[in-house]
Structure formats: C-alpha cells, structure tokens
Amino acid sequence: MASSTTSINGQKVRFGQGLRNDICAELSELGSAKALVLSTPQQVDMAMELATTIGDRAAGVFTRATMHTPVDVTEEAVEHAQSVQADSIVSIGGGSTIGLGKAIALRTGLPQIAVPTTYAGSEATPILGQTEGGIKTTLTDPKVLPRVILYDPELVASLPPAMTVTSALNAMAHAAEALYAKDRTEQTTELAIDGLKAFATGLPKVIEQPGDLTARAETQKGAWACGTVLGLVGMALHHKLCHTLGGSFNLPHAETHAIVLPHAIAYNAQDVPELLAPISKVLGGTNPGQALWSFAEQMGAPMALKDLGLAEADLDRATEIALKNPYWNPRPITADGLRVLLQNAWAGNAPSD
Ligand code: NAD
C-alpha cells in the first residue's frame, strides 16, 4: 500500500500501513531523545508495543488517559513526564489519549506525535476539552496541536465494529456542520465533502471486512479531513447538543454523536438546504437528515438515546440546558423544535422533515 505525506497548519501528516514502526525517524526529526508514550488502560498492549519499537528512547509509558481529560490525571501525567525527563509525547489511541497529550503540551510545551486509533479527529485540531469539578471547558491554542500525525490503518483495524461505526459518524458530524459554518471557506467545504465521501465509500467496506486495510486507510483519510475542518471552522447545534448530553447526562461521546447527527442536520436543513445538499449527494436521497439516518441504520449504528440510558423524563431538562447558552446556528433554535428533535433522537424515530 502506498504511503503519503501532507502538511497543513504546520503539522506533518503521514498515511501508510506499518507507519507506527517509523516512529524513531519522527522522534529524530523532532530532536527527541526521551519520549513518553500515552494510552488508556484498555490500550496498554498497543502502548507497550510502541515503546518497544522506540527502544531506549522511550522515557516510559503512562496508561491512565481518561475520557474528557480530567485535570487531576493531566497533573499526574505532567509530574510523571517531568520525573522521567521526557522531551516529547507520543499519544497512541483515540480522542481521550490524544486529549491527554494536548493537555500535557499546554502545560509543558513538549512536542507531540499523535498515532490515532479511532476516527474522532482530535489529532488534527488545536482544540482541547478538559474537565475539572465535573465541568468541561474547551480552549483553542496552537500549542496543543500535535507536530506529527501517523495514520497507520493497522491500528484502526482492531476497532470493534460498533466503535468503528460510531467513531466514523462522530467524524462525519464535524464535516456535516462545517458545510454551514459561518466562517467556512471554499477550502473547508471541499475538505468536508472529501471527508464525507471517504466514509461513504470506506465505511461499508470496513463493516463488511474489518481487516480491509485499503478501506481502513480510506476511512483514516476521512478522519483527517473531518478533524481538520473541525479545527478550522466553528460548530453549531449538533456539537453543542452532544456537549450538553455528554456533560450533563454522562452519555458516551461517539454514540451520542452518531444518534443525534441525522436529527440536528434535518433540523438545520429546513433553513439551509442548499448548503447541506452535498450530504444527500454523497449518501443518496434528497433529504440530508434522512440520508444520514438511513446510512447510520444500514451501518448498524445505535439509533436511540434511550438505549444509552437517557430517561424520557430528562428530555425537558436537556432542552432547557441546551437553550441556556445561546450560540450561532444557521436556523434559530426554538424550545419546541429542540424538544421534538430530542424526542425523535431518544425514541429512535426517523428525523422530522
Ligand atoms: P476514546 O479515545 O475515549 O476511546 C474509547 C475507548 O476505545 C477507549 O477505551 C480506548 O482505549 C478504546 N480504543 C480506542 N481505539 C481502539 C482500537 N483501535 N482498538 C481497540 N480499542 C480502542 O474515544 P474517542 O471517541 O476517540 O475520543 C473521545 C474523546 O475525544 C472525547 O473526550 C472527546 O471530547 C474528545 N475529542 C476531542 C476532539 C478535539 O478536537 N479536541 C475531537 C474529537 C474528540
């Protein structure tokens, strides 16, 4: 399989099978002699394998990365990095592990190499979400952008089918909202459409054959395109709603994105159908929300928030919280409209037209 390298926002981005084994060349280029490898507890094996590849240039392995980047874990990791005199960070994992790498970089200035194993796209953004005292805040700072990304399709091949689908829809959500972003440009729209196309063709293949590395590579190119647009333009209703549901009701990140996306897009398509038309063009049909809903259903995605443990009685409160901090959206957000949207997403109904 051919490998390729691209560069945007000062990041070096490489795609290719087995690229994780090239990690030492990247460390040399960064001038790093002691790299701290990060992972979640669930991916210790991957982290240990990478540390073995790095050999005596590995300063150690820190395996306590946690969803939503809790500040206490970051402080522990910073202390660890300093105690082993790490001069770079290598994050192997999804958004949680890459988030920890960014949080360490913010506090220490250490350069990071990201080796993504999901499609969430955090590696391509200068955005960091952190949690303290149960409250998640988000900042944007060029200091947190990893210097290098190594996309190795063998690493996403181990993603279980359910996570493959939800993570892909999480990535597609960045692209879908980029299509109507207030600060969109021709370049971001083009990247968003490229990302959507990559998943529209690649995802059905990896669902059928999880070890199809050519299709996995295609989905990783999609993840990069979708993550890059997330870093370049502002998001709206869909991302804010998922933030509310995740933060206030402790719902899982990628699954929530997968379920809410068709409904949020159907809501906004009523006011900006022409901007969202690329979605139906890529996925088929004439209605972008319906197209996403059918695609998600065909891919075996979870379809109902009730299946994630959200109670119907919570929908009024979720509507209230989501309305509390107003933000820009292409269609005005009304309490009634939002409540209907949430009811449909909760029950697993098709989105309202
Ligand atoms: P994750 O990193 O939390 O991973 C979920 C679980 O899957 C973990 O247990 C992980 O170890 C495991 N896993 C990951 N890859 C695997 C693989 N290939 N094989 C087997 N198991 C694997 O999930 P995520 O959806 O990638 O990231 C979610 C987090 O990232 C959230 O906190 C979200 O807010 C953040 N995020 C941030 C940005 C940003 O730009 N700042 C963008 C997207 C997501």
Side-chain angles (χ1 to χ4, degrees):
M1 194 186 299
S3 67
S4 63
T5 304
T6 183
S7 176
I8 189 165
N9 301 329
Q11 261 189 322
K12 179 178 178 185
V13 185
R14 297 180 65 192
F15 299 91
Q17 192 178 337
L19 263 190
R20 65 189 183 284
N21 299 317
D22 233 17
I23 190 90
C24 285
E26 297 303 334
L27 289 170
S28 297
E29 212 165 289
L30 287 181
S32 166
K34 285 275 167 212
L36 179 64
V37 179
L38 307 179
S39 78
T40 63
Q42 292 77 26
Q43 288 179 278
V44 172
D45 291 352
M46 277 188 185
M48 295 310 286
E49 196 190 312
L50 199 65
T52 305
T53 306
I54 293 173
D56 58 11
R57 281 208 265 175
V61 180
F62 183 91
T63 60
R64 286 196 288 287
T66 308
M67 180 85 89
H68 304 311
T69 328
V71 167
D72 55 340
V73 175
T74 299
E75 284 167 355
E76 214 185 299
V78 166
E79 221 170 89
H80 185 84
Q82 284 164 347
S83 73
V84 295
Q85 296 175 324
D87 59 11
S88 72
I89 299 293
V90 174
S91 309
I92 180 160
S96 297
T97 305
I98 291 164
L100 176 60
K102 288 173 159 183
I104 298 173
L106 181 73
R107 289 159 177 83
T108 61
L110 290 179
Q112 311 154 70
I113 299 178
V115 189
T117 67
T118 70
Y119 302 127
S122 177
E123 64 279 359
T125 83
I127 305 166
L128 168 64
Q130 309 184 88
T131 314
E132 191 164 26
I135 296 174
K136 186 164 177 175
T137 51
T138 303
L139 59 84
T140 299
D141 189 331
K143 216 164 132 183
V144 307
L145 188 74
R147 296 268 288 273
V148 181
I149 312 176
L150 298 180
Y151 284 108
D152 183 339
E154 287 175 4
L155 296 176
V156 272
S158 68
L159 261 183
M163 258 201 81
T164 295
V165 174
T166 53
S167 193
L169 287 163
N170 180 196
M172 292 171 82
H174 312 327
E177 286 220 295
L179 292 175
Y180 51 54
K182 222 174 24 172
D183 48 356
R184 69 186 182 278
T185 61
E186 255 176 52
Q187 186 210 17
T188 59
T189 298
E190 207 175 292
L191 258 178
I193 295 171
D194 283 352
L196 291 168
K197 278 185 184 160
F199 282 111
T201 52
L203 190 61
K205 291 184 206 157
V206 299
I207 293 306
E208 201 180 311
Q209 186 61 259
D212 178 343
L213 293 180
T214 306
R216 286 282 182 185
E218 191 169 10
T219 51
Q220 281 187 311
K221 289 209 166 148
W224 172 75
C226 293
T228 300
V229 289
L230 171 67
L232 292 174
V233 299
M235 297 285 116
L237 175 66
H238 170 76
H239 280 74
K240 306 289 176 188
L241 208 45
C242 291
H243 194 91
T244 300
L245 291 167
S248 306
F249 300 95
N250 201 25
L251 297 190
H253 178 82
E255 289 88 337
T256 306
H257 270 273
I259 295 168
V260 171
L261 181 63
H263 301 278
I265 294 304
Y267 183 90
N268 283 338
Q270 293 194 29
D271 276 29
V272 287
E274 70 296 344
L275 295 180
L276 288 168
I279 295 180
S280 353
K281 201 164 167 211
V282 168
L283 296 177
T286 51
N287 177 323
Q290 271 294 342
L292 280 164
W293 195 79
S294 304
F295 182 67
E297 196 183 34
Q298 282 159 21
M299 295 301 105
M303 303 301 285
L305 291 174
K306 65 178 177 187
D307 295 337
L308 303 185
L310 186 71
E312 191 168 14
D314 285 331
L315 296 180
D316 286 339
R317 196 159 66 89
T319 306
E320 236 172 76
I321 301 171
L323 284 170
K324 231 185 217 162
N325 296 317
Y327 48 85
W328 181 85
N329 189 61
R331 180 181 173 199
I333 299 170
T334 63
D336 287 350
L338 200 51
R339 185 62 181 76
V340 170
L341 185 167
L342 282 171
Q343 186 71 35
N344 284 330
W346 180 83
N349 297 333
S352 305
D353 286 336

